[in-house]
């Protein structure tokens, strides 16, 4: 159901926020990793992208719910 999906999304968001909050130290945020297809990203880049994608998804959910009401 939609309610179950939203609860799961909330739990996942909480888990991500806790992982970010407890990240070891500031220098680790700049650590680089190679990604598929070439190039590199930092840990901070990954967090930024997760937040962007999550916000975009929530905006789409809100629009869908408004349309069906």
């Amino acid at each position: 159901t939609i309610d179950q999906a939203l609860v799961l999304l909330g739990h996942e968001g909480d888990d991500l926020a806790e992982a970010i909050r407890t990240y070891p130290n500031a220098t680790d945020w700049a650590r680089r990793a190679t990604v598929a297809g070439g190039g590199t990203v930092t840990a901070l880049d990954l967090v930024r992208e997760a937040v962007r994608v999550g916000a975009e998804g929530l905006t789409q959910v809100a629009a869908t719910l408004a349309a069906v009401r």
Side-chain angles (χ1 to χ4, degrees):
T1 68
I2 291 174
D3 288 338
Q4 291 170 324
L6 291 174
V7 167
L8 178 60
L9 181 61
H11 290 309
E12 294 297 323
D14 290 343
D15 290 347
L16 177 59
E18 181 64 13
I20 292 166
R21 186 187 71 74
T22 60
Y23 208 67
N25 62 59
T27 59
D28 285 340
W29 286 106
R31 234 177 42 198
R32 293 201 160 276
T34 303
V35 295
T40 61
V41 296
T42 65
L44 186 56
D45 293 333
L46 293 176
V47 169
R48 285 183 182 132
E49 183 65 6
V51 169
R52 186 194 67 75
V53 169
E56 186 177 283
L58 289 174
T59 299
Q60 292 172 352
V61 167
T64 301
L65 290 174
V68 297
R69 288 188 177 156

